[in-house]
Amino acid sequence: MKRIFTVLFILGLGLAGVVFAQESGVASAPVSSKKPVPASVASVPQSSTSPSNPEFLHAADEVLGQMSQLLDLPIKEPLKKTLRSKQEIREYLIREEKEDKDEGQRDADTKTLEGFGLIPKDFPLDSFMLDVLTDQIAGLYDPKAREFYIADWIPVDEQRSVMAHELTHALEDQSFHIDQWIKAARPNDDAELARESVSEGSAMAAMVDYSLKDQKMGVRDLPDVTLLIRSGAVDEMAKDPNLSKAPGYIRDDLLFPYLAGTTFSQQFLKAHTGWGDLKILFANPPVSTQQIMHPDLYLAGVKPEKITLPEWKNIVPSDWKFLEENVLGEFNLDEVLKQYLGQDRADKLAETWRGDRYASFENTATKEIPLVVLIAFDTDENAARFAGQYSEALEKKYAVRTQLFRRPNYFQFQSDAGGVFLRCFAARCLTVERASRETFDKIDAAIGWNPAPTPGGAAVPDSVAQLR
């Protein structure tokens, strides 16, 4: 699943006015009264008096020089800086989304999210996100134009910490070509989100260091800074009239690159000599959200297992329209699990993930969204644990269930949307939703497994037996 909006998002975390208690050596991030804001920027209160161009330009140049020194990254070329109205920034967001994904891709992404139960059916995802982002935007860095946009109503004295975040993107772009670097992870969506988390997390960590520069401290001297801002960020989301009504997945997806990315960046910096080693991170990027969520795995070089699915021709019904095939990753698996099992159980299951591959389809006759997911776990025992707990989740997902059939590491039932099947073999688990038993058997055979148990010991259909 692609991230739900191309332009990234940062909450009003209060970091523009971070106050650190120097006496105790403990950082405190006061929660601002600002709403969450988008586009790699932090929101600041609007002012009826717009500062003049020279004030903004001078402040941006000054902060750019300070960030260049802090990050040990050179200013390789002059940075374009312009004031933009809210309407101009909205038009930019629309243009960026259209350039990044065509209408068919956006439709496939939305339907896949619906299929996993992460957003309600017919949720107006694109328009919802556009409204949220436009409402609170303060500024952004455009890596294509290599330009720093500043909203034309923001006072300079409230913008400097925001500039520190954005100008970190600009400096990283000049040295590492950040847009191409992130997109180089494609077509693996999980790996792309991991790289986005490096970009946003390093900018957040740099923003903290900028706020602490007069105290001669930095993120390498602090405990996990994310713990200091997470609860405030969640509280601020709850106050926003749009985001308070948003599905939990949308809020989590918006937060992930910033919060998990900050923790990851902080741990990377602590394991190295500081910002001077940032080039090591860009030369050897994390390859999964699991490495972002568990920086020790990245530092130890532990990478996911590559999972493949069969070619779908002659396996799935002809009236199934292919939507997309990609990697969930630990973050998205955790999101799928927690809506039915709760946060603690979901976290414990998801962290045993070692790789996956999913495919989504649209049944052109019924408009249902069939899903096929093959997941690898770290041990056979954890795969069996997943089988037991995810069967419970599937029962909660489908209100109508008949013809339940359960055997060790195997579970199936009929729903009003079609058959639902879960099978684990050794350290891998296969789920197929909204399909017939014959289609499940064909998929089961195509990945090389022996026939699954059948109710009453019925024979495997001839078409499946021939495929095997």
Side-chain angles (χ1 to χ4, degrees), residues 135-282:
D135 184 51
Q136 293 294 320
I137 198 161
L140 58 90
Y141 173 70
D142 178 1
K144 293 179 181 177
R146 297 187 178 182
E147 183 174 359
F148 178 31
Y149 299 166
I150 303 172
D152 62 6
W153 60 84
I154 307 300
V156 176
D157 59 351
E158 295 172 346
Q159 186 78 356
R160 287 178 178 268
S161 290
V162 178
M163 287 179 178
H165 182 103
E166 293 308 306
L167 296 176
T168 296
H169 289 315
L171 290 165
E172 289 179 346
D173 186 43
Q174 289 190 5
S175 287
F176 309 116
H177 309 293
I178 199 72
D179 190 47
Q180 298 96 308
W181 180 80
I182 291 174
K183 291 179 179 177
R186 296 181 178 181
N188 186 325
D189 288 349
D190 187 56
E192 185 176 356
L193 177 53
R195 293 193 184 205
E196 289 175 357
S197 300
V198 168
S199 175
E200 295 304 334
S202 62
M204 288 290 286
M207 192 179 183
V208 172
D209 274 13
Y210 176 82
S211 298
L212 286 168
K213 66 184 186 300
D214 293 337
Q215 299 184 40
K216 310 299 182 185
M217 294 176 62
V219 293
R220 296 177 75 232
D221 305 307
L222 301 172
D224 186 355
V225 294
T226 306
L227 299 177
L228 302 169
I229 58 179
R230 180 184 298 274
S231 61
V234 173
D235 288 345
E236 289 306 304
M237 276 190 154
K239 296 175 184 177
D240 183 88
N242 283 321
L243 285 171
S244 63
K245 299 178 292 186
Y249 174 74
I250 288 181
R251 296 192 293 269
D252 291 346
D253 189 62
L254 291 170
L255 278 171
F256 182 82
Y258 298 91
L259 299 184
T262 300
T263 297
F264 174 86
S265 298
Q266 184 181 30
Q267 293 306 310
F268 174 86
L269 292 169
K270 285 186 175 185
H272 294 78
T273 60
W275 290 107
D277 286 334
L278 193 63
K279 57 184 179 293
I280 298 173
L281 182 54
F282 280 89

Side-chain angles (χ1 to χ4, degrees), residues 106-408:
R106 294 197 300 273
D107 183 62
D109 289 343
T110 301
K111 287 177 178 175
T112 299
L113 290 171
E114 290 177 0
F116 278 105
L118 295 172
I119 62 172
K121 187 175 178 59
D122 299 323
F123 183 78
L125 186 60
D126 287 345
S127 61
F128 177 86
M129 290 310 306
L130 182 61
D131 288 343
V132 168
L133 295 173
T134 304
D135 184 51
Q136 293 294 320
I137 198 161
L140 58 90
Y141 173 70
D142 178 1
K144 293 179 181 177
R146 297 187 178 182
E147 183 174 359
F148 178 31
Y149 299 166
I150 303 172
D152 62 6
W153 60 84
I154 307 300
V156 176
D157 59 351
E158 295 172 346
Q159 186 78 356
R160 287 178 178 268
S161 290
V162 178
M163 287 179 178
H165 182 103
E166 293 308 306
L167 296 176
T168 296
H169 289 315
L171 290 165
E172 289 179 346
D173 186 43
Q174 289 190 5
S175 287
F176 309 116
H177 309 293
I178 199 72
D179 190 47
Q180 298 96 308
W181 180 80
I182 291 174
K183 291 179 179 177
R186 296 181 178 181
N188 186 325
D189 288 349
D190 187 56
E192 185 176 356
L193 177 53
R195 293 193 184 205
E196 289 175 357
S197 300
V198 168
S199 175
E200 295 304 334
S202 62
M204 288 290 286
M207 192 179 183
V208 172
D209 274 13
Y210 176 82
S211 298
L212 286 168
K213 66 184 186 300
D214 293 337
Q215 299 184 40
K216 310 299 182 185
M217 294 176 62
V219 293
R220 296 177 75 232
D221 305 307
L222 301 172
D224 186 355
V225 294
T226 306
L227 299 177
L228 302 169
I229 58 179
R230 180 184 298 274
S231 61
V234 173
D235 288 345
E236 289 306 304
M237 276 190 154
K239 296 175 184 177
D240 183 88
N242 283 321
L243 285 171
S244 63
K245 299 178 292 186
Y249 174 74
I250 288 181
R251 296 192 293 269
D252 291 346
D253 189 62
L254 291 170
L255 278 171
F256 182 82
Y258 298 91
L259 299 184
T262 300
T263 297
F264 174 86
S265 298
Q266 184 181 30
Q267 293 306 310
F268 174 86
L269 292 169
K270 285 186 175 185
H272 294 78
T273 60
W275 290 107
D277 286 334
L278 193 63
K279 57 184 179 293
I280 298 173
L281 182 54
F282 280 89
N284 181 32
V287 296
S288 68
T289 54
Q290 184 170 71
Q291 289 187 328
I292 295 293
M293 298 166 79
H294 310 281
D296 55 313
L297 296 180
Y298 169 79
L299 295 170
V302 178
K303 297 182 179 181
E305 181 180 343
K306 185 177 181 180
I307 307 297
T308 59
L309 290 173
E311 296 292 330
W312 298 114
K313 186 177 181 180
N314 299 324
I315 294 179
V316 300
S318 59
D319 57 359
W320 280 19
K321 174 187 174 183
F322 177 80
L323 293 177
E324 62 183 28
E325 184 176 315
N326 218 294
V327 178
L328 278 175
E330 181 177 339
F331 167 69
N332 278 314
L333 176 61
D334 193 39
E335 290 295 307
V336 170
L337 293 172
K338 81 172 188 178
Q339 59 186 324
Y340 306 111
L341 301 178
Q343 187 72 69
D344 290 344
R345 293 174 69 191
D347 290 350
K348 290 176 182 177
L349 271 183
E351 68 182 11
T352 66
W353 174 97
R354 287 299 176 267
D356 77 77
R357 192 77 178 167
Y358 76 85
S360 60
F361 305 84
E362 182 177 22
N363 186 320
T364 56
T366 65
K367 302 304 178 184
E368 296 291 346
I369 308 298
L371 296 172
V372 179
V373 187
L374 181 60
I375 307 174
F377 294 91
D378 56 353
T379 66
D380 295 5
E381 291 76 14
N382 280 326
R385 189 161 63 91
F386 175 84
Q389 296 192 41
Y390 196 56
S391 63
E392 176 186 338
L394 289 171
E395 287 190 88
K396 292 179 179 179
K397 183 176 181 178
Y398 294 91
V400 176
R401 302 179 306 280
T402 61
Q403 303 175 47
L404 273 73
F405 176 69
R406 191 186 299 271
R407 290 292 183 271

Side-chain angles (χ1 to χ4, degrees), residues 20-26 215 217:
F20 291 89
Q22 192 170 15
E23 297 81 5
S24 63
V26 177
Q215 299 184 40
M217 294 176 62

Side-chain angles (χ1 to χ4, degrees), residues 24-96:
S24 63
V26 177
S28 64
V31 178
S32 78
S33 61
K34 302 182 283 288
K35 296 180 181 179
V37 298
S40 281
V41 297
S43 83
V44 292
Q46 296 188 16
S47 170
S48 59
T49 305
S50 294
S52 64
N53 251 12
E55 289 178 287
F56 272 120
L57 297 177
H58 174 74
D61 285 339
E62 187 175 83
V63 175
L64 180 63
Q66 293 171 328
M67 297 311 296
S68 174
Q69 185 174 19
L70 186 154
L71 299 169
D72 195 21
L73 291 176
I75 303 172
K76 293 188 174 183
E77 60 185 56
L79 179 65
K80 291 185 288 184
K81 302 171 284 291
T82 55
L83 287 166
R84 297 295 180 102
S85 69
K86 181 171 289 189
Q87 182 59 35
E88 287 174 321
I89 292 176
R90 183 181 181 89
E91 290 169 358
Y92 166 82
L93 298 177
I94 294 171
R95 184 172 65 253
E96 273 295 292

